[in-house]
């Protein structure tokens, strides 16, 4: 395993190491390596041997611009001599129980385009204690598919607003409210005619109707008849 990058003078970077040795394969002068165990100034061909080397390593190029290559792994690295190649035929099993915290600098981002498939064997379970809040913008939706019936709860609100609309010149309008969960509409008991909602649904005096909408609603009817409004607000 290796870290390889063209680095400018004094350029810094980080990479994750799993193993027991760290070998400077290439650099123009020296590199500064900082592990969880200490700090090292090494030149090409130098090596760190440490049974507990695994973790996050910071590297800084102390020389001129050029390629920097760091090799790491288990055991002790023996560089090839006289043009001979090094062949690794066996590696011990690697088990990582914990990784150090990763902190992003200002304006840095991490993008995850795909996650591997997770398969559970018989008897295994996955417990999720908390998920972040998910907010959908207007027009967005989430499709849910299930073989069994889904249990749902009606959308509730945090407060209630009441108002009274009076029909004038045959019309009255309830303006849209994006914070509204639903609205309850009642034709006042003192009305002399019916109230028409939209293009045809009518309410006689004293009748009421619930509508699950945050959009605007129009009413028509007899002048001076009134409509009692209860809006449930998120």
């Amino acid at each position: 395993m290796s870290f390889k990058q063209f680095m400018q003078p004094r350029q810094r970077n980080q990479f994750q190491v799993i193993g027991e040795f760290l070998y400077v394969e290439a650099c123009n002068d020296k590199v500064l390596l900082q592990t969880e165990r200490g700090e090292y100034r090494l030149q090409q061909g130098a090596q760190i041997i440490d049974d507990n080397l695994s973790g996050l390593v910071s590297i800084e190029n102390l020389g001129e611009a050029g390629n920097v290559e760091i090799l790491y792994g288990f055991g002790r690295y023996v560089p090839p001599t006289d043009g001979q190649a090094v062949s690794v035929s066996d590696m011990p099993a690697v088990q990582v129980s914990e990784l150090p915290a990763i902190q992003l600098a200002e304006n840095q981002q991490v993008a995850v385009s795909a996650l591997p498939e997770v398969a559970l064997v018989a008897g295994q379970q996955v417990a999720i204690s908390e998920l972040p809040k998910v907010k959908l913008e207007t027009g967005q939706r989430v499709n849910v598919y299930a073989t069994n019936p889904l249990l749902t709860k009606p959308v509730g609100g945090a407060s209630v607003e009441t108002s009274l609309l009076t029909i004038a010149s045959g019309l009255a309008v309830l303006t849209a409210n994006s914070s509204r969960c639903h609205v309850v509409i009642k034709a006042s008991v003192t009305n002399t005619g019916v109230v028409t909602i939209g293009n045809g649904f009518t309410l006689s005096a004293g009748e009421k109707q619930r509508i699950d909408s945050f959009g605007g609603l129009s009413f028509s009817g007899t002048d001076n008849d009134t409509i009692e409004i209860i809006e449930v607000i998120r």
Side-chain angles (χ1 to χ4, degrees):
M1 296 176 284
S2 68
F3 164 86
K4 184 176 182 180
Q5 183 176 328
F6 184 89
M7 299 183 69
Q8 299 293 336
R10 291 295 179 178
Q11 181 179 347
R12 294 177 60 86
N13 209 327
Q14 291 181 322
F15 60 97
Q16 192 77 29
V17 168
I18 299 177
E20 300 168 339
F21 78 83
L22 190 151
Y23 178 82
V24 182
E25 175 74 6
C27 69
N28 278 345
D29 186 7
K30 291 183 179 180
V31 291
L32 175 64
L33 295 172
Q34 293 176 305
T35 72
E36 296 181 0
R37 306 271 285 179
E39 180 176 294
Y40 311 86
R41 290 174 180 264
L42 304 177
Q43 60 187 12
Q44 182 173 328
Q47 182 171 190
I48 301 172
I49 302 294
D50 190 335
D51 292 341
N52 296 307
L53 188 60
S54 297
L56 190 65
V57 174
S58 296
I59 181 171
E60 180 179 352
N61 181 20
L62 301 180
E64 298 297 325
N67 288 323
V68 175
E69 183 173 5
I70 307 297
L71 306 180
Y72 55 90
F74 290 89
R76 181 184 180 92
Y77 179 74
V78 179
T81 59
D82 300 329
Q84 295 178 344
V86 174
S87 176
V88 179
S89 60
D90 191 20
M91 290 283 288
V94 178
Q95 181 175 358
V96 179
S97 60
E98 184 177 356
L99 290 175
I102 298 176
Q103 182 175 359
L104 298 179
E106 186 177 358
N107 296 325
Q108 286 185 324
Q109 295 181 344
V110 174
V112 179
S113 59
L115 290 174
E117 181 180 355
V118 178
L120 302 179
V121 302
Q124 286 185 322
Q125 294 181 344
V126 174
I128 300 175
S129 59
E130 185 177 355
L131 287 174
K133 292 183 178 179
V134 177
K135 181 180 179 181
L136 300 180
E137 299 295 337
T138 302
Q140 290 182 322
R141 66 181 183 182
V142 174
N143 295 327
V144 179
Y145 303 92
T147 56
N148 297 321
L150 294 176
L151 298 178
T152 60
K153 293 183 178 180
V155 177
S159 61
V160 172
E161 295 181 1
T162 60
S163 58
L164 184 69
L165 296 179
T166 301
I167 295 178
S169 299
L171 295 174
V173 175
L174 176 65
T175 59
N177 185 349
S178 60
S179 298
R180 181 200 305 149
C181 296
H182 60 268
V183 59
V184 178
I185 301 165
K186 179 182 177 182
S188 299
V189 295
T190 57
N191 286 355
T192 58
V194 298
V195 173
T196 301
I197 305 173
N199 294 325
F201 191 89
T202 58
L203 294 177
S204 300
E207 282 191 302
K208 63 182 178 180
Q209 178 66 36
R210 166 177 164 155
I211 298 178
D212 295 323
S213 173
F214 59 81
L217 298 173
S218 61
F219 307 91
S220 59
T222 304
D223 285 359
N224 297 321
D225 277 359
T226 56
I227 307 158
E228 300 169 16
I229 305 292
I230 298 178
E231 294 181 271
V232 179
I233 307 301
R234 294 183 179 88

